[in-house]
Amino acid sequence: MEKISGSLIPYQGLVVSCQALEDEPLFGSHHMVAMAMAAKEAGAAGIRAGGLADIRAIKDAAGLPLIGLVKIQHEGSEVYITPTLEDALAVHAAGADIVAIDGTGRHRPDGRTLEATLAALKAAGIPVMADIATFEEGVQAAGWGADYISTTLSGYTAETQGTLLPNLDLLERLAAVLQVPVVAEGGISEPAQAAAALELGAAFVVVGSAISRPQWIAARYVKAMKVKAGSAATEAEG
Ligand SMILES: CC(=O)N[C@H](C=O)[C@@H](O)[C@H](O)[C@H](O)COP(=O)(O)O
């Protein structure tokens, strides 16, 4: 299937998600700008950033293509990634080249449908990445005009809870049928998985925690070492 070219993110590039919420140790634009500059030094083709302040600061400092979002929890809605049209407009105004929104089709806090939200952003000339969880959601969001489809929410919705990540099968299935760029995102924790995603048709790959969340990275070592220590202890007991 001929891919629609003209992606704002270089084809088959790495996008590093540099995000830290208020309850995370690295919260704050100073830290996220530093993380983005480190990613740029490594050769990242783009940055994914959350929060208007971080979007502005990272866009100014790194000058890389930027996928922006806000995370806002609303009572009565499970949608928290750029949940309303106003949020999407604010993310774009803050400097995001592409606005990432929830593309699952679930109830949105402003009562707008995903279709109407996508139509309004297209009319405003704002490139949109739809963060989806299932094949059907990806096809639907692309049909309603999303410019990029990303597997971000696979495993994070009620319907997909427990899905083993990264969900490269979802990526492969969507890349095989959609004309718009399909993005591998969510749970990519090894370089080989990112390379495999490109082989399976990803237009580019987004990696966050495995690069920009030290509390998550270090926890992997603690877990592995405890297992090792446990087995050694067993040996010692004889
Ligand atoms: C589920 C959700 O809200 N994901 C968020 C989307 O912006 C980010 O917290 C993730 O870090 C990003 O998608 C990259 O994924 P990973 O950190 O697994 O490489």
Side-chain angles (χ1 to χ4, degrees), residues 227-238:
V227 170
K228 185 83 180 78
S231 55
T234 310
E235 278 163 29
E237 283 157 21

Side-chain angles (χ1 to χ4, degrees), residues 12-75:
Q12 299 202 323
L14 169 68
V15 170
V16 177
S17 176
C18 301
Q19 298 185 59
L21 294 174
E22 284 182 45
D23 63 350
E24 294 184 73
L26 292 184
F27 175 72
S29 298
H30 172 73
H31 295 307
M32 288 300 107
V33 165
M35 198 61 81
M37 296 309 286
K40 181 176 183 178
E41 202 172 296
I47 301 291
R48 179 165 167 131
L52 302 183
D54 284 10
I55 290 167
R56 270 189 216 99
I58 292 172
K59 188 63 187 173
D60 289 350
L64 286 174
L66 189 145
I67 300 166
L69 61 121
V70 287
K71 286 181 179 173
I72 304 173
Q73 305 284 355
H74 286 267
E75 191 72 32

Side-chain angles (χ1 to χ4, degrees), residues 17 19 48 69 71 80-81 152-153 156 185-187 207-209 213:
S17 176
Q19 298 185 59
R48 179 165 167 131
L69 61 121
K71 286 181 179 173
Y80 63 89
I81 294 182
T152 313
L153 289 171
Y156 295 93
E185 179 170 358
V207 177
S209 306
R213 286 199 171 104

Side-chain angles (χ1 to χ4, degrees), residues 154-165:
S154 176
Y156 295 93
T157 64
E159 183 183 352
T160 63
Q161 205 171 11
T163 302
L164 192 61
L165 300 182

